[in-house]
Amino acid sequence: MLPVLRARLTLAVEQGELRHDALARFPQLLVAPALMAIVWRGLFERFSPLDVRALMRRAHRCAVWR
């Protein structure tokens, strides 16, 4: 799965669809915000709530869009 995703993201970088090659080099970054939100909600939500919706919007915007 990762090699296919990496190849598609590399092509997107080459075609100028992605600003940086970080996603092509580390495709795990696409799911990192979601995993962090799951862990945060399970362990720390009662101490410090996390606006998951805002996090996902911002992370997606930073990671994917130019």
Side-chain angles (χ1 to χ4, degrees):
M1 172 83 177
L2 281 179
V4 172
L5 185 56
R6 186 174 282 121
R8 300 292 289 173
L9 291 167
T10 298
L11 182 61
V13 171
E14 291 168 357
Q15 294 178 346
E17 296 172 0
L18 292 176
R19 185 181 346 172
H20 303 290
D21 70 340
L23 286 177
R25 292 176 47 220
F26 307 105
Q28 297 89 342
L29 290 171
L30 287 173
V31 296
L35 289 175
M36 194 277 308
I38 291 167
V39 170
W40 189 272
R41 286 194 124 173
L43 297 175
F44 306 113
E45 184 73 17
R46 65 180 175 256
F47 305 113
S48 180
L50 177 65
D51 185 351
V52 174
R53 186 177 302 239
L55 169 72
M56 297 306 288
R57 272 192 306 248
R58 179 69 177 157
H60 181 74
R61 194 176 307 129
C62 288
V64 176
W65 300 108
R66 298 176 74 180

